[in-house]
Amino acid sequence: NAGVTQTPKFQVLKTGQSMTLQCAQDMNHEYMSWYRQDPGMGLRLIHYSVGAGITDQGEVPNGYNVSRSTTEDFPLRLLSAAPSQTSVYFCASSTLGQGSAIAKNIQYFGAGTRLSVL
Amino acid sequence: SQQGEEDPQALSIQEGENATMNCSYKTSINNLQWYRQNSGRGLVHLILIRSNEREKHSGRLRVTLDTSKKSSSLLITASRAADTASYFCATLRRLRSGGSNYKLTFGKGTLLTVNP
């Protein structure tokens, strides 16, 4: 069971380039999310999705796009990379319980993508 | 803004000692979770405590939750060098009553170093 798989592990971009960070999970989780982690800032939520065709913004969505065409995949797109987007990016997934079941949600994280924008 | 704030930011102890980390938050929550991150790796879930629970144990981990003070603590007993990692609290809050959307907000973490 692979869990949450992120590719690539490392990426270097030039300012203005575009790229897509891939995230796939094989646990049939409805909820998927993207975080960025910067020194001294903890994890900040970029975008999240509660199911195929449904996405929403997190704390720091500017400069990033997402889509969710299948339950398994949740790619994160940088349309025009900027040095401020240099960070480590984590994808996570979980079940989406309703009512009292929401109190049991835990996140499964991928290994991360380390991105440098020059 | 960060919902959870861990304290201290860094903690260094000797093997065999207990380590206590604290987390404070600002709004009502459905549950509070603690995660561990080894250097260069993804986060791994450690323990979850629901808003109607006050204390929970899992192996050498003990978590308490005080919703009146909006705070939680994580105690690691008999620490080992392998416990060296960053520890994050995360608060989960349902966005709409009865709905399934929720928001999980992480703090900045406590870096724990356990010296052999």
Side-chain angles (χ1 to χ4, degrees):
Chain A
N1 197 347
V4 179
T5 302
Q6 288 184 239
T7 56
K9 286 184 168 37
F10 302 94
Q11 184 70 50
V12 178
L13 292 178
K14 294 181 180 177
T15 297
Q17 285 185 315
S18 62
M19 81 157 295
T20 299
L21 280 63
Q22 302 291 344
C23 176
Q25 52 91 10
D26 61 0
M27 296 173 282
N28 202 31
H29 285 166
E30 305 97 328
Y31 189 94
M32 296 186 74
S33 54
W34 277 101
Y35 293 86
R36 60 177 288 173
Q37 184 176 32
D38 302 292
M41 298 294 291
L43 277 81
R44 292 182 291 172
L45 181 65
I46 304 172
H47 285 285
Y48 67 98
S49 168
V50 298
I54 306 170
T55 63
D56 207 346
Q57 296 181 348
E59 296 175 72
V60 288
N62 292 341
Y64 307 95
N65 279 356
V66 292
S67 60
R68 184 96 179 268
S69 57
T70 67
T71 299
E72 294 79 19
D73 301 298
F74 190 44
L76 178 72
R77 297 184 184 84
L78 284 70
L79 299 178
S80 179
S84 61
Q85 293 178 305
T86 294
S87 187
V88 181
Y89 292 84
F90 289 100
C91 177
S93 74
S94 77
T95 59
L96 188 61
Q98 297 195 13
S100 60
I102 200 172
K104 301 177 185 177
N105 294 55
I106 64 172
Q107 305 292 309
Y108 293 83
F109 280 84
T113 294
R114 191 172 296 272
L115 176 68
S116 293
V117 183
L118 306 177
Chain B
S1 62
Q2 301 290 136
Q3 162 77 317
E5 293 286 343
E6 290 92 341
D7 170 60
Q9 291 185 340
L11 180 61
S12 181
I13 60 174
Q14 295 300 122
E15 213 166 20
E17 293 180 339
N18 295 342
T20 299
M21 290 159 269
N22 303 299
C23 172
S24 60
Y25 57 93
K26 298 174 184 175
T27 67
S28 62
I29 61 173
N30 293 88
N31 70 48
L32 187 144
Q33 305 173 26
W34 286 90
Y35 288 80
R36 166 191 168 131
Q37 183 182 35
N38 287 81
S39 180
R41 302 285 189 90
L43 279 74
V44 175
H45 179 263
L46 292 177
I47 193 166
L48 178 153
I49 185 165
R50 290 185 274 183
S51 59
N52 60 356
E53 297 176 318
R54 292 297 166 257
E55 186 171 313
K56 203 161 184 182
H57 296 257
S58 177
R60 293 184 297 113
L61 304 179
R62 172 178 169 255
V63 171
T64 61
L65 179 65
D66 187 335
T67 53
S68 66
K69 295 181 180 178
K70 292 187 169 56
S71 67
S72 172
S73 67
L74 171 68
L75 169 67
I76 304 175
T77 59
S79 63
R80 306 165 181 166
D83 293 328
T84 294
S86 290
Y87 292 82
F88 294 87
C89 72
T91 53
L92 186 144
R93 181 167 59 93
R94 183 185 290 131
L95 296 180
R96 286 192 301 277
S97 177
S100 57
N101 276 24
Y102 64 82
K103 183 174 181 180
L104 186 69
T105 308
F106 286 82
K108 298 179 182 179
T110 292
L111 176 60
L112 173 66
T113 302
V114 182
N115 302 299

